[in-house]
Amino acid sequence: MEYRLLGRSGLKISTLTMGTMTIGGGGKFAQVGNVGLDEARRYVDMCLDAGVNLIDTADIYSTGGSEEIIGDILGGKRKNGVLVATKARFNMGPGPNDGGLSRHHLIAACEASLRRLKTDVIDLYQVHEWDGQTPLEETMEALDTLVHHGKVRYIGCSNYSGWHIMKALGISALDRRHRFVSQQIHYTLEAREAEYELLPISIDQGLGVLVWSPLAGGLLSGKHRRNQTPDGTRQLAGWNEPPIRDEERLWKIVDMLVAIAGERGVSPAQVALAWLIDRKGVTSVIIGGRKEEQFRDNLAAAGLKLTDEERELLDAVSLPPVLYPYWHQLRSAKDRLGEADLSLLGPHV
């Protein structure tokens, strides 16, 4: 397992992170998995044995159930260098202040997560999504307070747009507060929009990048083929994330993953994950699942290196349907990133 610095921080995390959205199974997340304590314990042990040192969860996963199970499992293992990341933003109750990124909710949510996780400190605390109603100055001040009080070590964001991130970093600099060290994004062979702004911003501003749902909800795992959706999958259960806007392009990507995997004697999922791990700007890829074989297969991707030819083949079938949208700014983008980093703008540039 390789370890990389998380943004400008001195914290080193594994190139694979354990995701826990399938753990607990309460509320909306019953659709994506209902992994219980005993199963989750096996999966955590598998990941730790493979060298994974970061476990990512969120308070909204099973309405706190995922955090509770992770807290029960880790217990004394926290002293072995296991890092825990969690998130807050979504409604955790019926009250008007039970969600959002206000000072009131963030501090209360953090304290609740600490109790569920059975720990004194959260290693990476992430705002789960943009809150357009709360002044960003208030959100960043609350996060800064949590760091100064020793409840949180590092802070990050998730699902922010480029301007959201830059505004937050600007406020942190202006007020001399702790800044985001990372962002968590959706980025796959099928969804490469992050190459337009989010990845260049991360490199320019020194942010680590954690990738969620790297197999597009299982669509890039190889078990989904044209006119074939296995029973028991997320899509069959009505889970519609991520949205697929060009189904023919999706199946071309899947066909190429299957072909390369067959030549290498590995799974299509491992090929898709290996492609992501080696993308410039990516720090760690979050893997998850409902079955032991899914974790075992995904963990093997940490040791898979694709050839230049294989990457070119994957690039050829995964070109975004829309070219770089800001064509009139292309020259300045090249000047800023340098000719060697043009891959961040997509292989079509």
Side-chain angles (χ1 to χ4, degrees), residues 187 192 195 275-282 311 315 343:
Y187 179 38
R192 298 180 61 170
E195 294 172 0
W275 180 85
L276 272 174
I277 291 171
D278 271 351
R279 296 300 287 175
K280 191 174 180 68
V282 171
R311 291 187 167 280
D315 280 339
S343 62

Side-chain angles (χ1 to χ4, degrees), residues 319-342:
L319 281 173
V322 178
L323 299 184
Y324 188 67
Y326 308 116
W327 56 268
H328 55 288
Q329 297 178 359
L330 184 55
R331 184 65 260 167
S332 62
K334 290 181 179 179
D335 292 340
R336 185 174 66 255
L337 292 173
E339 296 292 339
D341 291 336
L342 290 186

Side-chain angles (χ1 to χ4, degrees), residues 20 56-61 67 85-90 106 109 113 116 122 124-129 158-159 184 212 286:
T20 63
D56 179 74
T57 186
D59 59 4
I60 194 62
Y61 295 169
E67 288 183 327
T86 192
K87 316 177 199 73
R89 157 67 174 90
F90 297 110
L106 266 181
S113 288
R116 287 189 290 264
I122 294 165
L124 176 61
Y125 198 52
Q126 303 156 106
V127 289
H128 207 157
E129 191 176 75
S158 176
N159 303 319
Q184 196 169 132
W212 62 266
I286 302 171

Side-chain angles (χ1 to χ4, degrees), residues 50-286:
V52 171
N53 74 340
L54 177 62
I55 298 176
D56 179 74
T57 186
D59 59 4
I60 194 62
Y61 295 169
S62 300
T63 321
S66 176
E67 288 183 327
E68 289 178 352
I69 290 176
I70 293 302
D72 288 339
I73 293 170
L74 291 183
K77 293 182 181 179
R78 289 283 276 150
K79 64 177 180 287
N80 294 332
V82 182
L83 306 171
V84 173
T86 192
K87 316 177 199 73
R89 157 67 174 90
F90 297 110
N91 290 347
M92 292 293 288
N97 292 306
D98 288 339
L101 297 178
S102 67
R103 180 186 297 107
H104 178 282
H105 179 67
L106 266 181
I107 292 176
C110 181
E111 291 173 345
S113 288
L114 288 168
R115 289 193 297 270
R116 287 189 290 264
L117 289 166
K118 299 176 178 60
T119 185
D120 296 327
V121 61
I122 294 165
D123 297 291
L124 176 61
Y125 198 52
Q126 303 156 106
V127 289
H128 207 157
E129 191 176 75
W130 177 254
D131 176 2
Q133 294 184 316
T134 301
L136 195 49
E137 290 83 355
E138 179 179 338
T139 297
M140 300 313 295
E141 184 273 335
L143 293 171
D144 189 70
T145 297
L146 291 171
V147 175
H148 281 294
H149 286 185
K151 296 180 179 181
V152 169
R153 290 198 172 107
Y154 299 95
I155 58 174
C157 61
S158 176
N159 303 319
Y160 269 32
S161 71
W163 75 266
H164 294 154
I165 295 170
M166 292 306 299
K167 185 173 181 179
L169 293 176
I171 288 171
S172 295
L174 184 65
D175 295 341
R176 297 185 178 181
R177 301 194 186 281
H178 286 279
R179 74 198 299 270
F180 292 145
V181 299
S182 63
Q183 63 166 322
Q184 196 169 132
I185 67 174
H186 181 59
Y187 179 38
T188 70
L189 274 163
E190 195 283 327
R192 298 180 61 170
E193 309 88 61
E195 294 172 0
Y196 295 146
E197 290 194 351
L198 296 181
L199 287 172
I201 284 172
S202 294
I203 293 172
D204 181 68
Q205 295 295 312
L207 294 174
V209 173
L210 307 176
V211 177
W212 62 266
S213 196
L215 298 178
L219 289 174
L220 302 181
S221 66
K223 64 185 177 184
H224 296 272
R225 306 290 178 86
R226 296 173 188 269
N227 303 314
Q228 176 184 325
T229 300
D231 291 343
T233 63
R234 293 184 189 179
Q235 278 68 33
L236 199 65
W239 187 266
N240 59 358
E241 295 181 6
I244 302 300
R245 299 181 175 89
D246 186 341
E247 189 171 337
E248 179 59 27
R249 175 172 168 270
L250 167 68
W251 297 129
K252 286 181 179 179
I253 294 170
V254 171
D255 290 343
M256 185 57 69
L257 287 171
V258 170
I260 292 173
E263 289 289 328
R264 295 292 294 270
V266 298
S267 71
Q270 289 178 35
V271 175
L273 293 172
W275 180 85
L276 272 174
I277 291 171
D278 271 351
R279 296 300 287 175
K280 191 174 180 68
V282 171
T283 310
S284 187
V285 176
I286 302 171

